[in-house]
Amino acid sequence: MNSIGIFLEITKAYDVLNHKVLLSKLNSYCIRGVANLWFESYLSHQKQCVEINSVKQGIYVSTTREMEYGVTQGLILGPILFSLYINELSLNIMGSKIELLADDTDILVSEANMNSLQYKLNNVMNELQTWFTLYSLVVNGEKTEIFFP
């Protein structure tokens, strides 16, 4: 059996989650009604600013802006919401085994014949590109590796 491992990391994974898509996904997981409205309120009222503490120039604080995308990483809900956002990836990529680990995704593609493996790998890569584009996620090319022994 021939195998290829693909190890992906999503760029700014928590920062780019689309709130409308996330709320729709929560709805598909039966988080509806008041519970979904609570999440909508939680997501729509998050604000952030940047603070820079410089020895020479003192403290600079940017204006506060409401977040249109993303979830807060430092809170308990951030990783949970991110996991729910990407949970269905493995259902949409056929011909591979997928492990989701926060913003890391490990994919194993196996096939007995090398030509069949190449064909299957091309299909998996096309499906990945389609899915990541659909959900506005970007793969970090510098931290992504492909391994085949």
Side-chain angles (χ1 to χ4, degrees):
M1 183 66 68
N2 299 299
S3 297
I4 294 179
I6 306 166
F7 306 95
L8 305 173
E9 183 172 305
I10 302 170
T11 299
K12 297 185 179 187
Y14 290 82
D15 298 335
V16 297
L17 299 187
N18 183 312
H19 291 170
K20 289 180 183 177
V21 171
L22 178 57
L23 291 167
S24 175
K25 286 178 178 275
L26 291 172
N27 187 59
S28 72
Y29 290 122
C30 296
I31 299 172
R32 300 184 177 122
V34 174
N36 197 283
L37 289 172
W38 182 88
F39 277 104
E40 182 179 5
S41 175
Y42 171 78
L43 292 169
S44 64
H45 298 298
Q46 290 188 16
K47 296 180 180 178
Q48 69 180 14
C49 67
V50 175
E51 181 177 312
I52 301 171
N53 191 355
S54 170
V55 174
K56 292 181 180 180
Q57 297 178 350
I59 297 174
Y60 169 78
V61 180
S62 70
T63 56
T64 301
R65 297 182 63 181
E66 192 165 313
M67 294 171 52
E68 295 179 28
Y69 296 93
V71 294
T72 306
Q73 293 181 50
L75 303 177
I76 292 171
L77 279 179
I80 293 169
L81 292 173
F82 179 78
S83 294
L84 291 172
Y85 193 88
I86 66 166
N87 190 45
E88 68 186 39
L89 174 64
S90 59
L91 301 174
N92 291 278
I93 310 301
M94 301 298 127
S96 63
K97 293 181 181 179
I98 297 181
E99 293 290 327
L100 301 172
L101 311 160
D103 61 348
D104 295 325
T105 303
D106 299 343
I107 304 164
L108 181 65
V109 182
S110 299
E111 194 65 52
N113 178 293
M114 282 301 282
N115 288 333
S116 297
L117 178 62
Q118 181 63 44
Y119 179 77
K120 190 185 256 187
L121 178 63
N122 287 339
N123 285 340
V124 166
M125 295 304 285
N126 287 332
E127 290 171 348
L128 282 168
Q129 182 178 1
T130 299
W131 195 89
F132 276 80
T133 300
L134 180 64
Y135 292 107
S136 304
L137 298 173
V138 177
V139 173
N140 184 337
E142 293 179 12
K143 294 184 177 181
T144 295
E145 296 182 26
I146 297 178
F147 177 74
F148 47 101

